[in-house]
Amino acid sequence: MPKPRALPAQHAEPSVKLSIRGVARLQGRHPWVYRSDITEEKNVPPGAVVRVLDPRGKFLGTALYSSSSQIAIRMISHGSVADLPALVAERIRAAIAYRKENDLVSNTDAYRIVFSEADFLPGLIVDRYNDVVSVQILTQAIDAAPVREAIVKALREDLQPAGILSGIVERVDGRIRELEQLPPRQSGLLWGEKTSTEFNMNGVRFHYDGLEGQKTGAFLDQRENYAAAARYAHGEALDAFCYQGGFALHLSLHPAARCSSVTGVDSSRPALEMAEKNAALNGRELEWIEANAFDLLREYSAANRRYDTIVLDPPAFAKTKRDLEKALGGYKELNLRAMKMLRPGGILVTCSCSFHVSSPEFLKVVAAAAQDAHKSLRIVEHRGAAKDHPILLNVPETSYLQCLILTVSN
Ligand code: SAH
C-alpha cells in the first residue's frame, strides 16, 4: 500500500487568519469580517469555503469568502463544513421549518422563505409568491453551480409535494453581480414554467411578475404592517410612495379599514400601472397619482388639503452612512408635511427602510417634525418587518425596517 503523503501546499484547504479585531467581531456573533481584519490568506480562490483561524492559528469556524467585497468573509458555521451544497440545502429546510413551527406566516401565500444572514445563509434570499418562488444570489460562494443546484433541489423537495410550486425564478441584481465580480446573468427561470402569478396577503390579492418590478417583486416585509395600518385607518387616506399599492389596497379593502377614499401616489408609472391592475383584481378602483411625493405634499399642504390617514413609506434615503444627514432631512420634511395635513384624531403611518437610520434616530426625527408642526402625537404601535424577515440579535443589518403608527392631536 502506498504510504499516505502530506498534501502538497497548493491543495491545502483554503484558510484565512484574522486580526484580534476580526476575532472580536465573530465572538460578538456578527458573521462578517472586513478585509482589513484579515491578516493572512492561504489558497483562497473567489467564493471559497474557508477555514477561519485566530492570530495563533486556532480554528474558529468556516466562512464564505469573497475576493471583491469589503466584507471578505461571512461565517456559515462555527464548525467544519465538508459539503457546502448539502449544508445550504439543510439550512433551507431549517428556514422553512422555522417559519412553520413558529407559525410566522399565517394569512398569506407570499412570504420570505430565506433571509440571508438571518437564516444563516449569507448571500441567499428566497421569497415565495404563491406558486412562484423567487431566488436572489448575492455572493460568489452561493453562485457556484453545485450550490445553485442544491438550492433548486431543496426548494422543490419541500414545496412540490405540497402542490404549491410551478416555477423557481432567479432575479438578478446586475449591480451586485458586478460588485462581486461575477459574470453577468439574465433573470429567468431556474426550474418549472411559470414566472408570474397572483398571490394573497391578508385577503388582498396582488399580481406578481418575477421578471419585473423592484426588489423581488413586492415588499413582503410590510405584510403585517399593512394589516396593522388598516386597523387604524379611517376617512380620507393618502398613501405616498405607494409602489404597487400595498398599503393603499389594504386601506381600501381590508375588512378592518374604515376609509372613505384612498389615493396612492408614486413617481413610477409602471408601479402605478401595476397598482391599478391590483385594484382591479380585487374589484376596486382607486385614485393613483403619478407625482414626486415631496412636491405633492408641499402643494397639498399649501392648499390646505386635509386627510384622516397618511402613509409614508419612502425608499431608503440613507443607502450609506454618508447620506445620513440628508436622509434625516428628507424624513423630517415628509413627516412635517403629513402631520400638518392630518385632521385631529388622524393616523400617520410612517416608515423607514434605511438600515443606517437607527430606531432612536427615526423616533427623534419624527418627534422633531411634530415639534415644528405644533402637534402632539401618540405612538400607537412601533413595528418592524414581518416575522418572516427575522432579526438576528447582534446583527443590526438584519433590522432595517421601522414602521410607526401614530395618532395626531392638536
Ligand atoms: N409602500 C410600498 C413600497 C414603497 S417603495 C409597498 O408597500 O409596496 C418606495 C416607492 O417610492 C417606490 O415605488 C418608488 O417608485 C417611489 N418613489 C421614490 N421616490 C419618490 C418620490 N420622490 N415621489 C414619489 N414616489 C417616489
Side-chain angles (χ1 to χ4, degrees):
M1 242 179 29
K3 264 197 178 160
R5 274 184 304 154
L7 283 173
Q10 70 268 29
H11 290 139
E13 277 183 275
S15 67
V16 296
K17 216 175 239 186
L18 307 186
S19 66
I20 301 275
R21 202 172 58 175
V23 175
R25 261 183 90 73
L26 295 191
Q27 280 167 346
R29 286 272 147 181
H30 200 295
W32 298 353
V33 177
Y34 294 97
R35 193 161 307 283
S36 52
D37 286 320
I38 307 255
T39 55
E40 202 181 302
E41 293 181 7
K42 273 197 186 139
N43 306 304
V44 187
V49 177
V50 292
R51 291 168 59 78
V52 181
L53 310 173
D54 80 358
R56 289 189 182 156
K58 192 180 135 211
F59 176 69
L60 297 174
T62 308
L64 306 182
Y65 178 84
S66 166
S67 60
S68 62
S69 170
Q70 275 316 303
I71 305 167
I73 60 162
R74 295 162 198 251
M75 288 304 277
I76 187 131
S77 167
H78 290 276
S80 298
V81 173
D83 184 346
L84 180 64
L87 180 67
V88 168
E90 186 190 313
R91 295 268 165 95
I92 290 174
R93 287 192 289 273
I96 292 171
Y98 171 75
R99 284 152 179 75
K100 210 178 273 171
E101 282 157 18
N102 296 297
D103 197 17
L104 304 186
V105 283
S106 48
N107 218 3
T108 182
D109 58 21
Y111 53 89
R112 181 149 289 185
I113 297 177
V114 174
F115 188 20
S116 204
E117 278 78 0
D119 283 300
F120 313 109
L121 276 169
L124 178 64
I125 290 178
V126 182
D127 290 331
R128 177 186 161 201
Y129 294 90
N130 189 6
D131 55 341
V132 175
V133 165
S134 146
V135 172
Q136 262 193 309
I137 289 172
L138 309 170
T139 52
Q140 292 171 350
I142 300 294
D143 195 56
V147 177
R148 288 174 159 274
E149 279 162 30
I151 293 167
V152 170
K153 188 160 170 273
L155 290 171
R156 284 183 58 191
E157 278 170 6
D158 242 286
L159 302 175
Q160 250 181 316
I164 52 171
L165 191 62
S166 314
I168 302 178
V169 180
E170 179 184 7
R171 286 188 61 96
V172 172
D173 183 332
R175 204 183 60 90
I176 286 184
R177 286 191 76 82
E178 213 175 290
L179 288 174
E180 279 288 295
Q181 291 172 357
L182 290 165
R185 235 185 121 92
Q186 292 291 314
S187 292
L189 264 176
L190 295 178
W191 175 85
E193 71 281 347
K194 252 177 104 173
T195 58
S196 61
T197 190
E198 288 169 21
F199 64 94
N200 144 20
M201 282 194 263
N202 309 304
V204 180
R205 294 167 70 199
F206 293 85
H207 289 285
Y208 173 68
D209 188 337
L211 304 180
E212 300 277 338
Q214 302 172 4
K215 269 183 91 174
T216 61
F219 289 86
L220 298 178
D221 49 3
Q222 292 281 27
R223 174 175 51 90
E224 294 170 356
N225 297 334
Y226 294 151
R231 278 201 290 280
Y232 305 101
H234 60 271
E236 291 177 71
L238 181 71
D239 176 8
F241 308 94
C242 67
Y243 186 51
Q244 299 178 350
F247 277 103
L249 289 169
H250 278 80
L251 299 192
S252 161
L253 286 153
H254 194 276
R258 293 151 288 139
C259 293
S260 51
S261 70
V262 178
T263 302
V265 179
D266 203 281
S267 57
S268 155
R269 174 168 286 270
L272 291 175
E273 283 167 3
M274 190 53 113
E276 194 159 32
K277 275 196 206 156
N278 286 334
L281 184 65
N282 293 277
R284 276 297 149 93
E285 258 187 55
L286 303 186
E287 185 186 23
W288 306 105
I289 302 178
E290 183 185 343
N292 179 329
F294 282 91
D295 296 343
L296 190 97
L297 289 177
R298 203 174 297 131
E299 200 181 295
Y300 278 16
S301 119
N304 278 326
R305 291 277 297 247
R306 292 288 174 264
Y307 286 93
D308 302 289
T309 302
I310 297 181
V311 179
L312 300 174
D313 183 19
F317 290 148
K319 291 240 160 65
T320 66
K321 241 188 180 147
R322 258 176 289 141
D323 304 333
L324 189 60
E325 280 311 308
K326 223 175 114 207
L328 292 175
Y331 287 119
K332 180 159 172 202
E333 167 164 2
L334 285 175
N335 281 281
L336 172 61
R337 305 249 174 244
M339 287 171 189
K340 283 192 167 163
M341 279 200 282
L342 279 163
R343 297 190 178 104
I347 295 291
L348 174 63
V349 180
T350 182
C351 308
S352 161
C353 58
S354 302
F355 152 67
H356 296 285
V357 177
S358 68
S359 171
E361 266 163 334
F362 188 54
L363 275 172
K364 210 165 122 192
V365 88
V366 176
Q371 188 178 331
D372 288 6
H374 310 296
K375 303 237 174 161
S376 295
L377 285 98
R378 281 183 283 194
I379 299 176
V380 192
E381 293 197 30
H382 188 169
R383 310 176 56 90
K387 295 184 206 74
D388 46 314
H389 294 62
I391 294 174
L392 188 56
L393 211 57
N394 295 324
V395 185
E397 290 81 357
T398 57
S399 165
Y400 60 97
L401 180 67
Q402 298 177 67
C403 173
L404 284 171
I405 304 181
L406 305 131
T407 57
V408 182
S409 312
N410 269 334

